[in-house]
């Protein structure tokens, strides 16, 4: 086996998680079974990103070390790469280690869902606030340091 881990810009990842989860004003995400999700009354981004339960979700499910380090600190993957800039590294490794030849057209991992200007404006405001900046750097410090990610908003 050759194990790979794709990494996204954390700020783009968070915005995608917000859009995908469609969390309603009661904090219920669309996939939660047995709960009454109301898609007509979605939680605004500023409220959603400020909830501690979401910070734990980001840390326990979406931080790089969740996918790259075992419980005893051992490395779990052979290649970690940034999806937004390291395609050539990925292609080279897949060809040399797995004898698999790929082209850009074969890869569709970047979320191209259009976000409204209103959401982008709200994200820009939230991501520039001190508490959210701190949270992002605390949870995604490895991704930010390893790949030099910055807030694109």
């Amino acid at each position: 086996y050759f194990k790979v881990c794709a990494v996204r810009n954390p700020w783009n990842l968070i915005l995608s998680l917000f859009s995908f989860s469609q969390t309603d004003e009661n904090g219920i995400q669309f996939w939660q079974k047995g709960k009454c999700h109301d898609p007509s009354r979605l939680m605004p981004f500023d409220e959603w990103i400020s909830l501690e339960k979401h910070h734990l979700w980001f840390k326990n499910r979406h931080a790089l070390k969740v996918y790259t380090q075992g419980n005893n600190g051992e490395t779990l993957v052979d290649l970690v790469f940034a999806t937004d800039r390291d395609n050539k590294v990925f292609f080279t490794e897949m060809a040399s280690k797995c004898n698999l030849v790929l082209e850009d057209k074969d890869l569709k991992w970047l979320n191209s869902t259009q976000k409204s200007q209103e959401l982008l404006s709200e994200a820009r405001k939230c991501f520039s606030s001190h508490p959210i900046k701190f949270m992002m750097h605390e949870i995604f410090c490895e991704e930010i340091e390893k790949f030099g990610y910055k807030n694109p908003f």
Side-chain angles (χ1 to χ4, degrees):
Y1 293 98
F2 184 73
K3 300 169 291 286
V4 297
C5 180
V7 180
R8 291 182 65 191
N9 178 304
W11 289 269
N12 289 331
L13 171 66
I14 294 300
L15 200 56
S16 288
L17 289 172
F18 169 75
S19 297
F20 177 73
S21 70
Q22 297 180 26
T23 306
D24 70 16
E25 63 185 10
N26 294 313
I28 300 169
Q29 292 147 332
F30 83 89
W31 61 76
Q32 291 180 283
K33 296 182 192 276
K35 298 195 176 186
C36 189
H37 177 259
D38 186 355
S40 68
R41 300 175 67 128
L42 297 179
M43 184 179 289
F45 183 74
D46 62 339
E47 185 179 338
W48 180 87
I49 197 169
S50 298
L51 293 175
E52 182 66 29
K53 74 176 192 173
H54 291 143
H55 299 182
L56 292 173
W57 180 40
F58 308 153
K59 181 177 182 176
N60 296 328
R61 294 290 213 179
H62 297 285
L64 181 59
K65 64 185 170 190
V66 171
Y67 300 101
T68 60
Q69 293 179 4
N71 293 335
N72 299 320
E74 72 275 19
T75 301
L76 300 176
V77 297
D78 301 302
L79 173 67
V80 178
F81 71 99
T83 58
D84 59 343
R85 63 180 91 144
D86 290 342
N87 284 354
K88 287 186 176 155
V89 170
F90 178 71
F91 295 150
T92 301
E93 289 294 317
M94 294 306 286
S96 69
K97 306 278 196 247
C98 304
N99 201 26
L100 183 62
V101 178
L102 299 170
E103 297 178 20
D104 277 333
K105 64 181 177 58
D106 297 325
L107 306 175
K108 297 192 177 10
W109 49 47
L110 290 180
N111 181 348
S112 61
T113 305
Q114 293 295 316
K115 309 295 189 270
S116 72
Q117 287 303 313
E118 180 181 348
L119 176 56
L120 293 174
S121 176
E122 192 174 350
R124 190 174 300 110
K125 180 180 174 190
C126 290
F127 285 140
S128 65
S129 74
H130 182 72
I132 300 303
K133 278 184 186 178
F134 180 80
M135 178 273 298
M136 292 295 292
H137 285 273
E138 183 177 44
I139 294 173
F140 297 106
C141 62
E142 186 176 355
E143 295 89 326
I144 293 167
E145 288 176 16
K146 184 174 180 82
F147 297 103
Y149 281 124
K150 296 186 183 335
N151 176 358
F153 299 102

